[in-house]
Each structure stands twice: as C-alpha cells, then as structure tokens.
Amino acid sequence: MIKKQILGGVAAALSVALDAAASMGAAHAAEPVKIGFIATLSTPAGYIGEDERDAFNLAIKQGGGKLGGVPVQLVIEDDGLKPANAKQAADRLLQSGVKLYTGVNFSNVLAAVVPSVVKSGAFYVSLNPGPSNFAGEKCDPNYFVASYQNDAFHTAGGVAANELGYKRVVLLAPNYQAGRDAIEGFKRTYKGEVVAEIYTKLDQSDFSVELARLRSLAPDAIYQFHPGGTGINFVKQYAAAGLNKSIPMLMPSFSMDARMIKATGDASAGAYITGIWSQDFDNAQSKAFVQAFKDAYGRVPTDYAMQAYDTAQLIGAGLKATGGDLSKAAEFRAALRKPEFASLRGKFSMNTNQHPIQDLYLMRIEKDSDGGLSPHLVRKLVSDDKDAYAQLCKMPS
C-alpha cells in the first residue's frame, strides 16, 4: 500500500513537471523572433532607411505579424550613417540575445557590423550593400546578401555604355568601399576610354570643382554613383551647369531612385540607369507590391524598398524551414541558399558565395502619362549575372 502511494506520488509529480515543461515550451515557441534592424534613419540619407524599414514592415503586416508563418519583432536602431554607432547597436543587441540582423544600407557601416554578428554565431542578411571583400575572401556561412554584389549595377553600366556608343567616359564616385567597387565594376566591362576617375566625399554637397573639370574634359558621357542626398545635389548642380544638355549621364538606379527623381524635378530627365528592378516591371508580385506600398505609405517605392521586401521574404523562408528556431543553423542556411519565394524582380537564386544570381536591366528616366518622371524599362542588359568574387570565396560548411 505504501509502495503504491509512493509510486502514485512520483507519477503525479512527474506529470506536473511534464505539464510545466510543455507550458514553458509553448510559451517559448510563441515568443517572436527578434530581428535587429540597424539602418540610417537620420541625415539626408535617412529616407533610404525609411523606405527599407517601411517595406520590411509591410511584409510583416501582410503576414499577420509573421514571416514564414513565424511571429517576428523588429528591433530598430538608427546608425546615423556612422559605423561606430552601428557597431555599438549590434553589440548591444547581441548581448541581449538577438540572433538575426538586417537593415544596414551603406557598405562602410556594414563593414563595422558584420564581423561582430557572424563571429557570435548570429546571422546577417543584407538588404542593400554587398561589398566585394565579403563576397570573396571574407565570405561567411552566416552572411547572406539579398540585394546584389556592389559591382553588379556598375558592370551592367559598362555594358550599357558600350551599347550606347560612349567611347570616352569620365567616372565619378565617393571615396569609400561601394564607390571604389562602382568604378572597378564599370571598368571591368567597359571597352572604351576612361578619361578620368574622380573620387568625391561621401557627404559632399558642392560639386562645382568637379563640374568645371567635367566641362574641360568634354567626355562622351559620365558614369556617376552618388546615393541619397549627395546624389540629389550632384544631379541638380549638373543640370544647373547645363552639362545635362551636352554630356549624357549614366548611373546605377540607386543614384536616381523614385525619391531622388521627385527631389530633383526635371534635372534627371533623359538619364539612363541600370538596375535589377523597375516600378513598371510586368509581373504580378511586383505590381501588387507597388500598389500595396502606395496604399500603405502614400508614396512610390524605391529600389531600396523592393530589396527590403524581398529580404523579408527570404528571411521568412529561413524561419519557415526552422520553425523560427535559429539554433537550427544548418537548416536556416539551407533554406536561404535555395530560397523559395516569389521575388519582385523575377528570377532570383543564390550563388556559392551567398550573393544573388539575377538579371540586370537598362532603364531611362522619362515622362509618364501624368507628366511626372519615372524609370522606364529599355531592355535587359545581362542574364543570370554572377559576381566576379565568388571564385575567391571558400565557403566553410
């Protein structure tokens, strides 16, 4: 009798313990996966981070607060376009247990964040920059890029310049990692004469010296990369100097996105841009996204917004494969390496260095039926583009 009572008590205690463990597990499963979203939300370039944040949030809202069926929570930090700020934010979030990151939109800032993140065993999925060093020798199994490798739009720029018949070209870009990647990428495919390479400052606002030099050099065209507020100032001053009448401008799409076109008025009319997406893309998912973004935020989405939305979908594929358990690192990586989602840009796959394989296009900024300006697709420039650095990446398993 006593033995039965003891066994009964043990069974009851065990049942209570199992119920408690199950309850704790369910509570843990219900907790949202925190995503560290470090972006430039202030400074003149803040609109870029705003578009990225809003598009990423749109994907979450459309999923009912989830990505890939897994509840998520964005933990947003403004880096103020300062690498030190971004690193401090990442270190702080890592200490609090955040294991998944995105949001950074400048290469010099990304360089301060990624090493800390991947060294800790956490994941970083880039929604904009794809600097050459992380695409090649410094590639890492926990680092993915959902947008492009930095050179891509610029190698397409070289192809476009050849096709447009520009024999003598001047190149301009800020003197930082993405700017240097831009010029090297263009030169990789351009067959004409590079008359000069002009490096500017990342936060430069007055280009009078550079414009005077351009006038004296008199090239067939210029290829320029200046994102955000710097690019707005450059294009305005270029047009004010009358150079747009005599020297055509070719640039990547992030040097004249939808917000920049609006800010520059007619100054960008007739310019050619290269990129991976345009608002007039004829696929169902892209059309639905453009309309949903307009409805939600009252403005046209930029390329940055498109990339952020696709990044959210890519992350969702990883979360779906793991049920939101990021300790299942191999499963998360496998899902991102062979993503299953409908990209807004159409074809999308991952190269061996975990950077996209995708098509590149030429667009021209022209008047719409309502009198406004926007990029219009001219033609495809490159099919299934792969970056040149993948061969240098010895990806650890």
Side-chain angles (χ1 to χ4, degrees), residues 58-380:
L58 177 63
I60 295 173
K61 290 175 184 176
Q62 290 177 337
K66 302 175 182 179
L67 292 176
V70 174
V72 297
Q73 176 189 345
L74 277 193
V75 183
I76 299 172
E77 296 276 354
D78 177 17
D79 59 48
L81 195 46
K82 294 180 179 179
N85 290 358
K87 186 181 187 308
Q88 289 171 6
D91 290 345
R92 186 167 58 249
L93 293 174
L94 285 166
Q95 289 175 5
S96 71
V98 177
K99 294 294 185 182
L100 179 57
Y101 294 82
T102 189
V104 173
N105 48 301
F106 285 90
S107 293
N108 57 329
V109 179
L110 187 81
V113 171
V114 168
S116 296
V117 170
V118 297
K119 184 178 180 181
S120 73
F123 290 92
Y124 193 93
V125 185
S126 179
L127 51 66
N128 189 50
S132 56
N133 51 334
F134 292 151
E137 294 178 352
K138 293 184 179 180
C139 65
D140 189 276
N142 282 13
Y143 170 74
F144 289 81
V145 174
S147 48
Y148 49 79
Q149 194 280 314
N150 278 359
D151 294 19
F153 290 23
H154 313 301
T155 55
V159 173
N162 295 332
E163 293 187 5
L164 291 166
Y166 301 150
K167 303 298 184 184
R168 300 175 66 255
V169 173
V170 171
L171 311 180
L172 302 98
N175 191 14
Y176 79 120
Q177 185 65 55
R180 294 187 292 272
D181 285 350
I183 285 182
E184 289 306 311
F186 182 92
K187 291 193 298 183
R188 189 173 297 119
T189 54
Y190 180 54
K191 297 177 181 179
E193 177 190 355
V194 175
V195 180
E197 298 176 21
I198 301 175
Y199 288 95
T200 58
K201 296 178 181 179
L202 185 56
D203 58 352
Q204 189 166 327
S205 59
D206 181 3
F207 295 93
S208 55
V209 173
E210 289 80 7
L211 297 180
R213 188 177 176 197
L214 283 174
R215 192 184 301 278
S216 66
L217 291 170
D220 293 341
I222 66 165
Y223 181 80
Q224 67 92 4
F225 161 60
H226 290 93
T230 306
I232 291 171
N233 288 331
F234 181 86
V235 171
K236 279 184 173 181
Q237 292 170 37
Y238 194 81
L243 290 173
N244 61 333
K245 306 291 187 188
S246 57
I247 306 175
M249 182 186 297
L250 173 64
M251 54 191 154
S253 60
F254 35 71
S255 287
M256 192 47 60
D257 59 50
R259 300 279 284 272
M260 296 171 77
I261 290 173
K262 187 175 181 180
T264 54
D266 290 337
S268 64
Y272 285 101
I273 60 176
T274 60
I276 54 177
W277 177 81
S278 179
Q279 302 155 29
D280 64 351
F281 261 32
D282 189 20
N283 67 56
Q285 61 268 25
S286 179
K287 289 180 177 179
F289 163 72
V290 171
Q291 189 59 53
F293 193 93
K294 286 180 179 178
D295 291 344
Y297 305 112
R299 64 182 188 272
V300 175
T302 61
D303 294 52
Y304 301 109
M306 177 279 292
Q307 292 164 188
Y309 188 89
D310 265 8
T311 301
Q313 304 300 333
L314 177 63
I315 287 173
L319 294 177
K320 181 179 180 181
T322 59
D325 184 355
L326 292 173
S327 68
K328 298 178 179 178
E331 290 92 332
F332 189 78
R333 292 189 201 104
L336 267 61
R337 286 169 179 164
K338 294 187 177 180
E340 295 182 1
F341 72 98
S343 170
L344 302 181
R345 68 200 87 170
K347 291 166 60 179
F348 179 92
S349 60
M350 282 289 179
N351 203 350
T352 54
N353 63 345
Q354 300 176 171
H355 286 60
I357 299 172
Q358 58 195 332
D359 297 339
L360 295 162
Y361 300 87
L362 178 67
M363 280 78 70
R364 193 167 189 264
I365 300 173
E366 299 173 343
K367 293 281 187 181
D368 298 320
S369 57
D370 61 2
L373 288 170
S374 68
H376 292 266
L377 181 63
V378 177
R379 61 180 173 273
K380 184 191 295 185

